[in-house]
Amino acid sequence: MKRLSKFATALICFAAVLVIFCGTFLIYVNIVASDYDKVQPEKIVEQIVDKLKSGSIMSEIDFDKLCSNRYENNDPSEYRESYYSKVVGKDLTYRVLASESGELSKTYVVKCGEENVGKIKLKGKNPRTRLLFFTSADWSLEEFIPALADTVYNLKVYCPEGVKAKINGVELSEEEREEQTGTPSYAVSGLLKAPEITYFNSEGEEIPYTAENNIVKPVLYNYTITLPKGVSVLVNGKAITGTASAGKEVFNVREMEEPKVVVKDGMGKEFSYVDGEKVPLFGYSVSIPENCTLAVEGMTFSEPETVDNPDAELLLKYAGVTLPKLKNYEFALFSDSVNATVSDGGKTKTFNVPHGSSHISPDTLETVPENISKEINVLNVMELWSKFMTDDIGGGDNGLSVISKYLIPNSDYAKYARQWAYGIDITFVSDHVIKSFDNEKVSNFTSYGDNCFSCSVYFEKKMGLYRGTTYLYKDKTDVFNSVVYFVKIDDGSWRIAVMHENLGDDDESDEE
């Protein structure tokens, strides 16, 4: 038999040693993996879940202690029976709560379907790592917290000096007071029913409170700000939501400590608000034709709905004119006018728009063009209407024959004028004298063909009121601020078709 070379003998010996080493290593890995599996925290969790399903855990739960607190009078037997029916024989699941877990602490929530039935808290010790990646520890049960109610209330109740708080009619205990600087607070935990919370001031008067995220605070600063639409309100740097009311936004400020309130307009300008102070805001309502777009000094608008022009029906009736549909933009600013640009894709025009209601289009002119003003003096006609409404035209028909020359026969305005001229109400107009018409302005002329146009008319009628016949005792100013539509009827004369007040010129905030 041929003898093996020394190299072959050495190779066989090395291979034998390698086989023995690999076998030993695999056995060691298997032992480590088995030990790792045995000390996994889920093993303890599964044991507790099994005890819940079987009901054997019921004897380990101190229902008397869980149901006993100084603020509630709960029946332990009632909660025992309810909890038994909730877990025994049921299909229970569990998952780790990462937000409440760490390297040597783990919290698991146990559920029956979507309903929480308890928490399992584990603690670990002797952490170790074997084979570089098998990290383990010795885990044990720290606490099992059964969920006896759908919601368990754990509250942080703030109670400033001079203020008292009660829960279900019981005053807070000093044992629950938290050791911290600033406003005193109390930790009240384990309430099984929604608590009734009351706060009282030093005079014994009940005061409101807020409860958010289990934090309860008395409301010592409580006021309401009513503002035009299109503004935002920040309380301590956080925006609050308003509610719509009568075309405005109502913001409620309810804080325990004096808040920093900032009102921000549509252009981002800010105003630091103090309770009871008037906010110098001006409201705008700008309407444009539906085929146009609006830009206001860099403001961002959401696209509004397209609506019918509120004057469309009467204009169609009296002039056969079909007004375009409108898009209406509402916002508020700290300035009483703003530059607004309107475009129809072809023509673009910029206006200095006053606060209040405005209608603009690329075809809008600043005032009445000369060819129209030669046919009708809009300002004189509307001042004549104002005189008619205060019985200052005179004549046996109280001025009806004069004003009728500017009204469409048988129109709603013509009927109203006749009713006013011959009705009882005109006799109650106070004795007065017209001193002057001031701040007269005609603007925003818009044509709707050859036979219809609209414009904005503003003036202030200054009057002196009389007591008796000779003694002037009071001054009064009537403001006329309206959008007026004129139409040309068959005889070629211009007549008033529609007029409506230019609302919003006196927008301001209201505080309560």
Side-chain angles (χ1 to χ4, degrees):
M1 184 176 183
K2 191 175 180 180
R3 298 178 65 183
L4 293 173
S5 67
K6 291 183 178 180
F7 175 77
T9 302
L11 183 62
I12 292 172
C13 291
F14 176 77
V17 171
L18 186 61
V19 168
I20 294 171
F21 175 79
C22 289
T24 303
F25 180 75
L26 289 174
I27 293 172
Y28 177 72
V29 170
N30 184 62
I31 293 172
V32 170
S34 178
D35 290 343
Y36 176 80
D37 181 65
K38 290 177 181 178
V39 297
Q40 287 305 293
E42 283 77 10
K43 295 293 184 181
I44 300 174
V45 176
E46 289 170 1
Q47 292 172 7
I48 297 173
V49 169
D50 288 340
K51 295 175 71 175
L52 280 168
K53 292 180 180 180
S54 67
S56 61
I57 202 172
M58 302 297 289
S59 60
E60 301 176 19
I61 300 175
D62 190 345
F63 285 92
D64 290 337
K65 181 179 179 180
L66 292 172
C67 296
S68 175
N69 63 72
R70 64 193 304 269
Y71 303 106
E72 293 179 321
N73 184 22
N74 298 314
D75 182 1
S77 62
E78 177 185 338
Y79 282 92
R80 183 190 299 273
E81 293 175 6
S82 174
Y83 193 68
Y84 184 91
S85 63
K86 185 187 295 186
V87 298
V88 174
K90 300 299 173 63
D91 183 16
L92 304 180
T93 59
Y94 65 89
R95 65 177 179 84
V96 67
L97 292 178
S99 60
E100 299 182 22
S101 300
E103 183 179 357
L104 291 176
S105 64
K106 289 186 180 294
T107 299
Y108 296 80
V109 61
V110 183
K111 289 192 171 186
C112 178
E114 295 298 319
E115 185 178 8
N116 177 23
V117 299
K119 279 185 179 180
I120 300 172
K121 292 187 175 182
L122 304 181
K123 60 181 178 180
K125 63 180 181 178
N126 189 26
R128 54 197 179 273
T129 300
R130 301 166 72 181
L131 294 178
L132 299 179
F133 55 87
F134 283 102
T135 299
S136 60
D138 297 326
W139 294 94
S140 60
L141 176 65
E142 180 181 9
E143 185 181 16
F144 171 66
I145 307 171
L148 301 186
D150 293 337
T151 302
V152 177
Y153 298 87
N154 299 309
L155 308 177
K156 184 184 185 73
V157 183
Y158 281 91
C159 196
E161 299 296 337
V163 174
K164 290 185 178 181
K166 292 183 179 180
I167 296 178
N168 296 331
V170 180
E171 286 194 21
L172 297 174
S173 170
E174 285 302 309
E175 296 177 356
E176 296 162 332
R177 180 164 175 168
E178 298 179 315
E179 294 183 3
Q180 59 181 32
T181 59
T183 305
S185 65
Y186 298 78
V188 180
S189 60
L191 302 181
L192 301 180
K193 297 176 181 178
E196 179 182 337
I197 302 170
T198 50
Y199 277 98
F200 302 91
N201 60 21
S202 56
E203 285 77 33
E205 299 170 331
E206 188 171 342
I207 54 179
Y209 67 90
T210 61
E212 185 177 357
N213 297 326
N214 291 329
I215 298 176
V216 185
K217 296 180 179 180
V219 175
L220 302 181
Y221 294 86
N222 186 12
Y223 40 87
T224 300
I225 319 173
T226 303
L227 301 170
K229 289 184 177 179
V231 300
S232 56
V233 175
L234 287 75
V235 178
N236 298 326
K238 180 180 178 182
I240 63 174
T241 303
T243 56
S245 176
K248 295 189 176 183
E249 293 285 333
V250 180
F251 298 89
N252 295 306
V253 179
R254 306 174 78 234
E255 296 291 324
M256 178 178 67
E257 299 173 340
E258 185 173 10
K260 179 183 179 182
V261 180
V262 173
V263 179
K264 183 182 293 187
D265 73 5
M267 296 175 65
K269 294 182 179 179
E270 296 183 349
F271 175 82
S272 295
Y273 174 77
V274 177
D275 185 21
E277 187 174 10
K278 179 181 176 181
V279 181
L281 276 168
F282 299 91
Y284 292 77
S285 179
V286 180
S287 61
I288 62 174
E290 63 176 328
N291 65 324
C292 295
T293 57
L294 180 73
V296 179
E297 297 188 1
M299 290 176 61
T300 301
F301 295 109
S302 57
E303 191 68 9
E305 294 183 3
T306 300
V307 297
D308 290 328
N309 189 311
D311 303 314
E313 185 176 350
L314 288 177
L315 263 297
L316 183 63
K317 176 180 178 181
Y318 295 133
V321 173
T322 300
L323 295 180
K325 291 181 179 292
L326 301 176
K327 293 187 293 188
N328 192 61
Y329 296 82
E330 293 189 355
F331 52 95
L333 301 173
F334 289 117
S335 57
D336 60 1
S337 65
V338 67
N339 291 328
T341 300
V342 61
S343 173
D344 62 4
K347 291 179 287 185
T348 298
K349 195 168 185 179
T350 298
F351 300 85
N352 184 259
V353 178
H355 63 284
S357 299
S358 300
H359 173 76
I360 57 175
S361 77
D363 297 320
T364 298
L365 302 177
E366 288 298 325
T367 188
V368 181
E370 184 177 358
N371 64 313
I372 300 293
S373 62
K374 287 180 178 180
E375 298 178 349
I376 185 170
N377 188 317
V378 170
L379 184 61
N380 285 352
V381 171
M382 300 319 300
E383 288 181 352
L384 187 65
W385 173 264
S386 177
K387 290 180 180 180
F388 174 66
M389 296 307 297
T390 52
D391 195 19
D392 285 303
I393 297 180
D397 58 0
N398 293 321
L400 180 63
S401 59
V402 177
I403 198 64
S404 293
K405 298 175 184 178
Y406 303 100
L407 303 176
I408 300 173
N410 298 317
S411 68
D412 292 345
Y413 286 98
K415 294 175 182 177
Y416 172 75
R418 173 170 290 276
Q419 182 181 4
W420 169 253
Y422 294 121
I424 188 66
D425 292 341
I426 198 170
T427 64
F428 295 109
V429 175
S430 301
D431 292 336
H432 64 277
V433 61
I434 297 178
K435 293 184 173 183
S436 63
F437 286 93
D438 297 335
N439 299 319
E440 302 163 312
K441 184 179 181 181
V442 178
S443 60
N444 292 334
F445 174 90
T446 303
S447 175
Y448 304 97
D450 295 334
N451 298 322
C452 181
F453 70 86
S454 68
C455 56
S456 297
V457 181
Y458 181 92
F459 56 80
E460 298 168 3
K461 182 169 65 174
K462 301 293 180 66
M463 298 183 294
L465 303 185
Y466 281 91
R467 177 172 293 159
T469 57
T470 59
Y471 180 60
L472 182 65
Y473 78 99
K474 184 179 181 181
D475 288 335
K476 185 178 187 300
T477 300
D478 276 354
V479 175
F480 185 92
N481 182 22
S482 296
V483 175
V484 186
Y485 289 82
F486 286 85
V487 298
K488 182 179 283 189
I489 63 174
D490 293 339
D491 66 2
S493 62
W494 289 100
R495 305 291 181 102
I496 298 171
V498 179
M499 50 181 156
H500 64 249
E501 188 178 359
N502 194 354
L503 298 175
D505 206 51
D506 296 318
D507 273 337
E508 61 183 43
S509 63
D510 302 311
E511 296 82 35
E512 298 177 8

